Amino acid sequence: MKKVVKFGGSSLASARQFKKAGEIIRADKARRYVVPSAPGKRNDKDDKVTDLLYQCYDAAAEGKSYKKILEKIQGRYEEIIQGLDVNLSLDHEFANIEENFLKKAGRDYAASRGEYLNGIIMAAYLGYEFIDAAQVIFFDEDGNFEPESTNQELKERLEHVERAVIPGFYGSKHDGSIKTFSRGGSDVTGSIVAKAIHADMYENWTDVSGFLVADPRIIKNPEVIETITYKELRELAYMGASVLHEDAIFPVRKEGIPINIRNTNRPEDKGTLIVESTVRKPKYTITGIAGKKGFCSINIEKAMMNAEVGFGRKVLEVFENYGISFEHMPSGIDTMTVLVHQSEFEEFEQSVIAGIHRAVEPDFLEMESDLALVAVVGRGMKASRGTAGRIFSALAHARINVKMIDQGSSELNIIIGVKNGDFEAAIKAIYDIFIATEL
Ligand code: ASP
């Protein structure tokens, strides 16, 4: 059994948190490869070390005073080292980092030091080998991740290494310069390592006990999702539910390696298991609810639209010409509605409207702003009757007017458009009918 374990920033923010991570790792021999993030926030008012590193580098690069921030960063690591009682000094590393900042080694280099230093501490604390991610994770000169060469190198390197720490978030280009993934990218590193060693499981340790059925800012203490498929996860993540970096799915998905989201502060919780497919029955008909505000709709009417070949394409081309992606496009016989992000649309509003008039000469065109989309996602919906009925009766009871309905042909999700002002109430009504009443 081989497991890759990734620990997020809040799980490694202090010596106390580090100790919890250490205990988790030691509790299971299969936890052989460890991917740490940089130290995160210890409390609400605290800073993430990654943010401090960006700040420090920007100040140094602009010739402003940066020493205070650098000392603050070093202080964070010293505190961890002392609390763990490991025999380690990072003085030399910090001297090096300062020198490279002044040589303008780049913002990516700066940010990556958060994970790099945490990796060194973690390796010393556990007695594991330290492998610098710059030696095993590669990017091309345009900064795109190189999966093949990375996989090959990691495989060869780890084949004979029983236990290792590989810092998350970064790698290197061929010229040796450091490149990071986008923010939260240590999740991606964990996934890449899991793929390379054919791990049985990729454990992603964070500060929540898994994916929640709904946003805890809207639903008090929502249920945790026990098992979710990659497809369901993608739907929910797209609609704003975030625990895992989106790109972390791809390397392990093809290999059939499950991801287990776990809580460092509550290791006894099983967390959420993310799998390619499963015969496990979901606990509830729906797996999760997520949503986003800030959409607007452009409703177009034209008599005999249905007979006009190319009508839809011409309309969508206008949006494309202004670089606006559309979210949904429900249609009637003589009507068509295009739903877009309000923030993307506003700037080009009048040009798009003029473009549509020119392209298809509609009889009537109307816009509506401040709409929200709610996605009800669940593999269990396919096999059960009446899901849509329950959703809409719940919304009707909550006196919510439904503006749009879209059910994908996969029957994996139902998307509902409501006014922004009804967003929270809609989620609550759906949660109540499917989860709260079944508890
Ligand atoms: N430390 C990086 C960030 O704050 C990467 C990570 O934590 O995954 O985005």
Side-chain angles (χ1 to χ4, degrees):
M1 215 21 180
K2 282 186 284 189
K3 288 182 183 173
V4 170
V5 287
K6 180 255 166 180
F7 287 88
S10 57
S11 303
L12 302 172
S14 63
R16 194 166 149 251
Q17 290 299 89
F18 248 84
K19 283 182 188 164
K20 289 186 195 168
E23 247 171 63
I24 290 165
I25 296 163
R26 290 189 189 106
D28 182 352
K29 280 202 171 69
R31 294 179 176 138
R32 289 170 44 186
Y33 301 101
V34 181
V35 175
S37 278
K41 293 183 181 190
R42 291 162 294 185
N43 53 58
D44 285 350
K45 290 193 190 90
D46 202 13
D47 296 298
K48 288 178 91 174
V49 164
T50 310
D51 293 325
L52 293 174
L53 284 161
Y54 281 125
Q55 272 175 36
C56 183
Y57 179 79
D58 290 345
E62 287 165 23
K64 294 188 187 145
S65 67
Y66 62 88
K67 287 211 188 255
K68 273 229 163 68
I69 314 175
L70 197 61
E71 274 164 24
K72 190 169 168 182
I73 298 167
Q74 188 158 4
R76 291 284 308 261
Y77 288 102
E78 299 291 341
E79 199 185 295
I80 294 171
I81 291 172
Q82 273 167 24
L84 294 178
D85 206 14
V86 285
N87 186 11
L88 181 72
S89 163
L90 294 178
D91 289 349
H92 179 67
E93 295 289 353
F94 270 94
N96 227 338
I97 290 170
E98 183 170 2
E99 206 182 306
N100 287 329
F101 275 23
L102 295 171
K103 278 196 216 150
K104 300 207 167 104
R107 291 189 98 226
D108 279 18
Y109 166 80
S112 75
R113 297 305 88 185
E115 274 61 17
Y116 171 79
L117 296 169
N118 237 15
I120 292 177
I121 299 177
M122 182 61 109
Y125 178 54
L126 295 172
Y128 280 25
E129 185 170 325
F130 172 76
I131 296 180
D132 185 355
Q135 294 170 6
V136 285
I137 300 216
F138 304 126
F139 292 84
D140 68 18
E141 66 227 49
D142 299 324
N144 300 311
F145 171 59
E146 276 188 355
E148 280 88 23
S149 58
T150 298
N151 198 49
Q152 189 60 30
E153 184 65 31
L154 262 175
K155 227 187 205 159
E156 283 169 19
R157 189 69 198 270
L158 295 181
E159 205 164 29
H160 306 290
V161 181
E162 189 56 27
R163 296 173 183 279
V165 174
I166 306 129
F169 191 38
Y170 71 94
S172 65
K173 293 191 196 176
H174 294 292
D175 63 5
S177 61
I178 297 291
K179 169 86 189 119
T180 63
F181 292 106
S182 55
R183 294 298 303 263
S186 297
D187 285 344
V188 186
T189 309
S191 184
I192 292 166
V193 175
K195 176 189 159 103
I197 62 146
H198 297 301
D200 297 283
M201 178 76 78
Y202 169 24
E203 287 180 348
N204 191 295
W205 291 83
T206 173
D207 53 8
V208 287
S209 289
F211 267 94
L212 302 172
V213 172
D215 189 334
R217 287 167 298 187
I218 300 172
I219 306 291
K220 215 170 148 216
N221 291 326
E223 284 277 291
V224 172
I225 301 172
E226 281 177 9
T227 311
I228 186 170
T229 65
Y230 285 117
K231 272 194 196 141
E232 290 172 316
L233 177 69
R234 172 108 178 93
E235 300 277 354
L236 289 172
Y238 184 70
M239 278 301 200
S242 69
V243 172
L244 192 71
H245 192 295
E246 247 198 303
D247 295 342
I249 289 176
F250 302 107
V252 283
R253 183 176 178 171
K254 275 199 203 136
E255 302 293 314
I257 302 168
I259 305 176
N260 191 189
I261 307 285
R262 301 284 293 265
N263 189 345
T264 305
N265 303 316
R266 293 178 58 95
E268 63 284 2
D269 290 353
K270 283 205 225 132
T272 300
L273 195 64
I274 310 168
V275 293
E276 174 66 36
S277 62
T278 176
V279 289
R280 283 193 213 188
K281 288 258 173 327
K283 202 160 156 197
Y284 308 102
T285 312
I286 64 165
T287 302
I289 316 160
K292 277 189 203 166
K293 287 182 178 177
F295 292 93
C296 60
S297 67
I298 298 93
N299 308 315
I300 304 156
E301 276 183 39
K302 187 177 184 187
M304 303 299 286
M305 178 192 289
N306 64 319
E308 206 174 313
V309 176
F311 191 96
R313 179 188 53 74
K314 286 181 207 157
V315 169
L316 293 181
E317 209 169 26
V318 179
F319 288 90
E320 186 183 348
N321 290 342
Y322 289 96
I324 301 165
S325 64
F326 76 96
E327 288 295 308
H328 291 281
M329 198 189 56
S331 63
I333 299 171
D334 289 335
T335 62
M336 165 177 175
T337 301
V338 183
L339 263 124
V340 292
H341 283 274
Q342 202 158 324
S343 57
E344 273 182 38
F345 178 69
E346 263 167 9
E347 190 187 340
F348 303 107
E349 178 191 77
Q350 294 309 315
S351 317
V352 172
I353 301 304
I356 295 173
H357 274 291
R358 249 175 270 131
V360 293
E361 297 175 356
D363 297 336
F364 182 67
L365 194 150
E366 168 189 59
M367 291 184 283
E368 182 163 4
S369 61
D370 302 321
L371 298 176
L373 292 176
V374 175
V376 186
V377 177
R379 60 189 185 281
M381 294 196 310
K382 201 168 183 158
S384 71
R385 268 176 290 135
T387 313
R390 288 170 78 190
I391 294 175
F392 296 115
S393 67
L395 292 174
H397 276 114
R399 301 184 167 278
I400 294 166
N401 182 29
V402 174
K403 292 271 173 193
M404 185 215 71
I405 305 167
D406 195 349
Q407 174 176 277
S409 48
S410 62
E411 287 184 60
L412 192 67
N413 63 4
I414 295 176
I415 294 175
I416 302 135
V418 297
K419 286 297 272 181
N420 274 349
D422 286 333
F423 178 69
E424 282 84 5
I427 292 190
K428 215 175 156 315
I430 299 167
Y431 185 87
D432 283 348
I433 196 77
F434 286 101
I435 314 290
T437 53
E438 287 186 25
L439 277 174

